[in-house]
Amino acid sequence: MFNSLSDRLTATFKNLRGKGRLSEADVDATIREIRRALLDADVALPVVRAFTGRIRDRALSEEVSGALNPGQQVVKVVNDELVGILGGETRRLNYAKRPPTVIMLAGLQGAGKTTLAGKLAYWLKSEGHRPMLVAADLQRPNAVNQLEIVGERAGAFVYAPEPGNGVGDPVQVATDSLEVAKSKLHDVVIVDTAGRLGIDEELMAQAADIRTAVNPDEVLFVIDAMIGQDAVKTAQAFLEGVDFTGVVLSKLDGDSRGGAALSVAEVTGKPIMFASTGESMKEFEQFHPDRMADRILD
Ligand code: GDP
């Protein structure tokens, strides 16, 4: 992930190194290269435009500060702006003042929600919490089963409708789970919801109903980093249909070009909070925009 983008940007900056003064033409040539590199990495066009516009303005107007030469100054501006489009400050989980904290997961089918539910539980346990998983994805016959497997791997209790009762009502399951959490002293409840293969009104309505019923402290929109340009459209649909408080990028271990990561936070105005980087429970990390920017410009 980001390898090609990172190589392209590094090569671009190499040309600037050692220049005593940067002319407007130098800056423009650099901006053109950055623009091409971002587009090739599948970053959404409006994001590319806004990003390169800000870099150009700052590169031409800011005083060169202290020990930096003009080339280094441009790299610094690009770094600052990358941190900005990745969400700025690290955004940590928002816990309820009175437990349980409720975290709802939303996203398309296959985005990685169920896997993430397990990873979050595993990580929360390591932070001293007693998480509980809730199977409110009753759309696919196998979804409850899959969450139970994930719960076992994470060592977390799973609340699910009894098998054999027909298809349960996901809103009811999610609502009931809060009482179960209180009685069993679970301080964090992670609600896994159904996804579809595409954006679908019924799916959005169901997720919105669950949201209304459980009044979550966080709604995490899980998105597969591999979906490239479709990321923006999908994120906007979930923002309008369900609304969310943060983004989780999954499958960052794949050979995604990074466009989704660079577009979604900027377009939705919501921070990327976690990254999922594999199929095992441990392959999960808090997302730090500054470290990700460093990795890109390494
Ligand atoms: P859901 O439909 O949104 O609940 O998605 P799942 O959690 O079932 O994930 C869909 C597929 O992606 C499964 O085969 C997971 O093992 C896989 N998966 C989930 N997260 C990751 C990840 O971070 N990296 C990789 N390589 N695979 C993942």
Side-chain angles (χ1 to χ4, degrees), residues 251-265:
K251 309 188 198 180
L252 276 194
D253 51 313
D255 59 357
S256 139
R257 289 180 277 186
L262 289 171
S263 307
V264 168

Side-chain angles (χ1 to χ4, degrees), residues 108-115 119 146 251 253 276-279:
L108 292 180
Q109 183 177 320
K113 290 180 298 299
T114 305
T115 309
K119 290 176 175 189
Q146 209 184 327
K251 309 188 198 180
D253 51 313
S276 198
T277 54
E279 298 196 46

